[in-house]
Amino acid sequence: MLAAKKDRGEAPGGGDTPAGPRHVAIIMDGNGRWAERKGVSRLEGHRAGVEAARRAVRAARDCGVTIVTLYSFSTENWSRPDWEVRHLLGLLRRFFREDLMELAGEGVRVRILGDHESLPPDLKKLVEEAEDSTAGNTAFTLQIAFNYGGRDEIVRAAASLARKAAAGGDAKVTEEALAAELDTAGVPDPDLVIRTSGEQRISNFLLWQAAYSEFIFLDLLWPDFGKRELEEAIAEFHRRERRYGGRKAKAASAP
Ligand code: IPE
Ligand code: IPE
Ligand code: MG
């Protein structure tokens, strides 16, 4: 029981002050509105968004966070105009070209969450190579959710369990068995989910994993996010009390 609680990021010893956060997940929203306000194209907004993502990862590492998950393209984002989708796919390619080597050299494990099968073949290959070449790194984990939808992930996990059952494997359907089939298998759930842009919704992000995450919604647009904003979010996280369905830690013992 205690071990299970620790896996969810609770303070060691079951206290009311959360440790960490060790895993911060971010819904990086607002690139388009940022561009609109500046009178530049949305593409400029997405480019500035990539810079903000680089800053956020550096800042997270400085703050002692060991896992960062960035939501960069949802299964619903394919419905955007072709030119914008092409640009967003291009930015992921550029990430592999310009950032991967450096991150790998710093001991960062890179994982791309989402459905790899429906990515263009060259991108699928880059994703697989990036994951394989950094699989042994342990200093920090960077997960990029790309062509990712929480519902899609759960459906793929359930289908995988069903295939194993049909093949005569261990057919037990448990929370642990399902979690082990998710794209995030083996990675602790996010302690903190941050969304920028002022929208207060989850937009199909980490539906399973965020069951007990703390949420912080910020009014600023993603390209304006930096170290100060992360530090403030972490300070707010420390003011929260995580209960996991239990009682308030300092409540009187009376019934
Ligand atoms: C987030 O910014 C990036 C993606 C969803 C790819 P948006 O492009 O959604 O920006 P807004 O919400 O239109 O401002
Ligand atoms: C969520 O942002 C997806 C990403 C940040 C990649 P969206 O802009 O796609 O979400 P909605 O449409 O506002 O819910
Ligand atoms: Mg948006």
Side-chain angles (χ1 to χ4, degrees):
M1 187 62 184
L2 192 60
K5 280 188 172 180
K6 272 187 185 159
D7 278 349
R8 295 192 205 132
E10 190 175 348
D16 58 334
T17 306
R22 67 175 159 174
H23 182 176
V24 175
I26 310 180
I27 303 176
M28 310 184 292
D29 195 21
N31 295 350
R33 274 163 281 179
W34 181 89
E36 207 172 296
R37 277 181 206 176
K38 288 221 166 308
V40 298
S41 81
R42 289 183 72 85
L43 307 188
E44 283 303 321
H46 292 313
R47 270 194 281 271
V50 172
E51 285 310 316
R54 289 188 176 120
R55 278 199 305 276
V57 171
R58 269 198 303 274
R61 291 165 76 184
D62 290 348
C63 291
V65 172
T66 54
I67 306 162
V68 165
T69 302
L70 301 175
Y71 199 10
S72 56
F73 190 87
S74 74
T75 45
E76 287 72 35
N77 288 148
W78 294 104
S79 67
R80 295 189 179 201
D82 269 1
W83 54 267
E84 187 173 355
V85 168
R86 250 184 288 120
H87 182 73
L88 292 166
L89 293 172
L91 289 178
L92 184 62
R93 284 192 186 90
R94 216 170 91 186
F95 164 79
F96 291 126
R97 221 172 37 235
E98 294 178 5
D99 297 82
L100 184 67
M101 286 271 276
E102 192 180 329
L103 290 169
E106 292 167 356
V108 176
R109 177 185 184 197
V110 174
R111 287 178 118 187
I112 310 296
L113 312 182
D115 178 12
H116 301 171
E117 294 309 316
S118 49
L119 290 174
D122 72 302
L123 206 44
K124 179 171 179 263
K125 192 160 168 268
L126 286 171
V127 164
E128 282 162 6
E129 284 168 3
E131 291 191 332
D132 290 349
S133 66
T134 62
N137 290 349
T138 54
F140 186 86
T141 299
L142 173 61
Q143 304 190 112
I144 299 177
F146 198 98
N147 191 23
Y148 175 88
R151 287 184 174 181
D152 175 69
E153 181 191 33
I154 292 168
V155 168
R156 284 186 286 107
S160 172
L161 272 189
R163 272 195 305 277
K164 285 183 181 167
D170 181 3
K172 268 212 193 94
V173 179
T174 61
E175 289 194 13
E176 288 72 25
L178 195 104
E181 299 296 331
L182 295 173
D183 300 338
T184 51
V187 171
D189 291 341
D191 303 295
L192 171 62
V193 176
I194 299 171
R195 180 172 188 147
T196 57
S197 90
E199 311 296 351
Q200 301 193 4
R201 54 178 171 259
I202 195 163
S203 298
N204 209 4
F205 188 47
L206 301 179
L207 297 182
W208 175 282
Q209 298 88 338
Y212 273 102
S213 303
E214 295 297 322
F215 281 78
I216 293 182
F217 298 102
L218 300 175
D219 271 331
L220 86 165
L221 303 170
W222 175 247
D224 294 326
F225 186 90
K227 186 169 188 183
R228 192 162 56 102
E229 287 71 27
L230 182 70
E231 285 171 347
E232 283 171 8
I234 289 176
E236 165 64 20
F237 171 83
H238 284 293
R239 288 192 287 272
R240 304 272 178 97
E241 184 193 338
R242 303 182 81 183
R243 294 187 204 148
Y244 300 102
R247 287 167 45 138
K248 193 164 165 49
K250 290 192 180 114
S253 55

